Amino acid sequence: MKKIFLFIIVLSLGLNLSFAQEGVEEKAVEEKPKVKDRPVREPFGSGILIDNQTCFIPEKKTLEMVIQHRFGPMNNGISDIWGIYKPGANIRIGFNYVVIDKLQLGYGLTMTNMTSDFSAKYNIIEQTRKNTIPVFVTVFADWGIDGRSNDSFGENYKPTNRFSYFTQLIVGRKFNDWCSIQVHGSFTHFNKVEPGTDHDKIGVGFNGRFKFSPQSAIHFQADFPLKIQGLSEYKTDNNEWVDHPVPNIGIGYELNTGAHSFQVYILSSKEILPQYSYMYNTIPNEQYPFWSTQNFLIGFTMTRLWGF
Amino acid sequence: MKAIHLIYIVIIIALIALFESCEYEYIEFAEQPVPPPPDTNDTIPVHQISFTLAIEPIFEEATCTNCHNGSLTPDLTEGNAYNSIMSNGLAVPFDHTNSMIYTYPHPVSGSHGTRYQNTAQTDSIYLWIYQGALDN
């Protein structure tokens, strides 16, 4: 009898112990700190991809200098080295600073109309490594100030006549270590334009890069200004589109080091600022089709990062 | 918390700037002077624009000839500009809208990298085309 009693006590203690252990284990599981799903590492090597912004924003307190350059059209071939020695280059020099995590503010000066631009870029959502968030979402806004003399704006000049705006929503994904793709939609507005030109333009596009070595990549872009009947203020009597901006299509090579990015590309817009590219990228002479070398030119972009 | 405040401030400033400054205006200039039609019986009329005296110097002033100096078409140097412009179809008599010598480097609406310096220069070119784009 004693043995049976002792067996029951031992058994119950054993069960209690095992239950208690399970409880401890459950508690341990509950209290185990969640592994943070961190953002993917550098979906793009630079904040700029040819003409477009990427979701890449460096760490906070980083200063970025950007030099963008466009040569002349390539139509003269070898005689002026496909436009490299041709006059009529376009240049932009800009500086961006990451004030807080995921927010970058910038200023730049472009040769087109000596336009100053102030920009802001913010990463709303970042793609994570464990795919908890599958895409990144970034907004970019640019405010341009035309730097020409007052009489270029005609009668009834006001300082706000100089303003132009560009807003863009970018959604993209780093698919793997060598492929990142973005799509974007944008809205462009110019306060004062010459008669026969729209004030507003909506555009869509896509771009991306394919890395083929740790430092090198092929990148591309395609931006399309849309023909939206309701938005257009100007068409001919036959309801046809006149001087509608052409797409900005480009392809190039990118070289990235830790703090530098160098991109060289061929593209179909001499404009550097996005609002000008979406609004004023027209074919200067209609006798040349879009795919002629008259409409394509060589350009390059260099960026340099400094951490503070 | 400070970061969130800063974001709010930037967003508010951006929205104010966007909505307070959005305008829909057109660039309009004072009425273009309408010269009398060219009088072929007269010698040079009072308002006749001389290509040699009024137009060619513009290409020099606006630095067009820095590049268009014979190495690049059109040749806009003195003595060669008229032939180069007309043979390349860059000026259409009486039709300034189809004259690339007027439209392409226009300081307001042109898309050339280098443009005329002011509208006074384009007004002269406009008048010259209006009067028949003569070699005078």
Side-chain angles (χ1 to χ4, degrees), chain B residues 44-55:
Chain B
I44 298 177
V46 176
H47 296 291
Q48 185 76 47
I49 299 291
S50 163
F51 183 82
T52 312
L53 299 177
I55 305 301

Side-chain angles (χ1 to χ4, degrees), chain B:
Chain B
M1 196 64 182
K2 282 180 181 175
I4 292 170
H5 282 164
L6 188 61
I7 292 167
Y8 286 156
I9 290 166
V10 169
I11 290 171
I12 288 165
I13 290 170
L15 287 174
I16 289 169
L18 183 67
F19 291 110
E20 289 298 317
S21 304
C22 233
E23 299 169 351
Y24 288 82
E25 296 186 12
Y26 287 104
I27 297 169
E28 290 173 356
F29 293 100
E31 284 290 313
Q32 295 274 11
V34 180
D39 186 355
T40 50
N41 298 323
D42 200 353
T43 53
I44 298 177
V46 176
H47 296 291
Q48 185 76 47
I49 299 291
S50 163
F51 183 82
T52 312
L53 299 177
I55 305 301
E56 267 187 346
I58 292 172
F59 302 139
E60 196 77 39
E61 290 165 17
T63 67
C64 309
T65 50
N66 284 3
C67 305
H68 293 276
N69 51 14
S71 59
L72 195 68
T73 304
D75 181 355
L76 297 178
T77 54
E78 193 179 335
N80 302 313
Y82 186 83
N83 285 339
S84 189
I85 288 169
M86 300 311 285
S87 62
N88 285 287
L90 302 177
V92 180
F94 313 108
D95 186 1
H96 69 282
T97 55
N98 286 315
S99 299
M100 281 188 74
I101 196 69
Y102 174 82
T103 56
Y104 193 29
H106 194 282
V108 178
S109 55
S111 53
H112 193 285
T114 303
R115 305 179 196 185
Y116 298 126
Q117 294 163 312
N118 50 55
T119 50
Q121 292 175 336
T122 48
D123 285 350
S124 296
I125 295 171
Y126 167 87
L127 286 172
W128 171 71
I129 293 167
Y130 182 88
Q131 292 172 347
L134 303 173
D135 185 12
N136 52 3

Side-chain angles (χ1 to χ4, degrees), chain A residues 275-300:
Chain A
Q275 54 264 56
Y276 281 86
S277 191
Y278 274 99
M279 191 66 83
Y280 291 114
N281 186 28
T282 53
I283 295 175
N285 193 334
E286 289 183 1
Q287 64 177 303
Y288 300 107
F290 172 71
W291 291 106
S292 77
T293 51
Q294 178 79 20
N295 300 320
F296 281 81
L297 34 84
I298 296 172
F300 68 81

